Amino acid sequence: MCPTMGSCISGTVSYGLGGTTLMIFQDLRETRYASRLSLRRTQRVVCSAGGRISYFISPQAQNLVRAAVFYIIDQDRNGVGVGVFFSKSKAVTADHNLTASQVVGTKVVMQIPELHEELTMTVSARDTEMDYAILQSSTDHAYLPVYDDPPEQLVGADLVLAGYCIGIEEYAPMFSRRLGFTKADTITLSNHNNHLFFRCTTFAGDSGAALILMDGCLVGIHQEAVNALRERLQHAKLVKDMLSEVELSIDAVVNRGVAQGCCALLSSVFAK
């Protein structure tokens, strides 16, 4: 074995090698150089072709959602939940985002941080059983169109959750009051087609976040994760000794083996 083989391959000619052997090493060097050059060219082509970003929700739909999804604040101006406009003057949030004192006729303050907008809205309806509250605006506002096709068509659909990740603000203030989008997969519907179970990463404070189709159409609002839901239903069984018809419908899905995931209230319930 030639002790200078490495230097031959790197381009330094060793006089201890015969002409034929030297030619082989030169060919090998040229082949390797050509291969590297070809790889670089290929990489440039791939990067150029892949330079166009692929979106699971288009920028146009994102802009619409940013104008319609808001951040609810309390007296101390802390975030307590999310809501979304579903008509020019009406919005919806999870009922448990409101306090007991925020009865019908009282006010709720909300923000759309990225638009530097703050509004005071009036509570016009509260449904504790279905866990939603309707808020009324005194002025027209941007809103998301409501999904009105049969709920059964949502099973297997690709969805997007739009929320503010309020639960991580304390630990990651750089993300405070920034609207985020997360992919969501549908799992199944409840027995009465009022609720949809889906799989998605969520955070504390996401209750009321908008569950949408990729074009921005409003499917429903996120209410709670399955683990929290299971605990709440178990508590209700102990306290009330029986569940309501709505709770029984949800409980049936949870007991069928949905171990993880989230529960959303469909827009067909609150946008009637």
Side-chain angles (χ1 to χ4, degrees), residues 64-95:
L64 178 61
V65 175
R66 284 192 178 95
V69 176
F70 54 84
Y71 180 104
I72 301 173
I73 57 177
D74 62 15
Q75 301 178 60
D76 300 319
R77 303 190 68 79
N78 295 317
V80 296
V82 186
V84 55
F85 279 92
F86 63 91
S87 78
K88 289 182 179 180
S89 60
K90 289 184 178 180
V92 63
T93 187
D95 184 74

Side-chain angles (χ1 to χ4, degrees), residues 86 92 132 134 146 218-221 265-272:
F86 63 91
V92 63
Y132 73 89
I134 302 298
V146 174
L218 182 63
V219 167
I221 59 169
L265 180 70
L266 293 177
S267 56
S268 56
V269 176
F270 58 77
K272 293 177 181 177

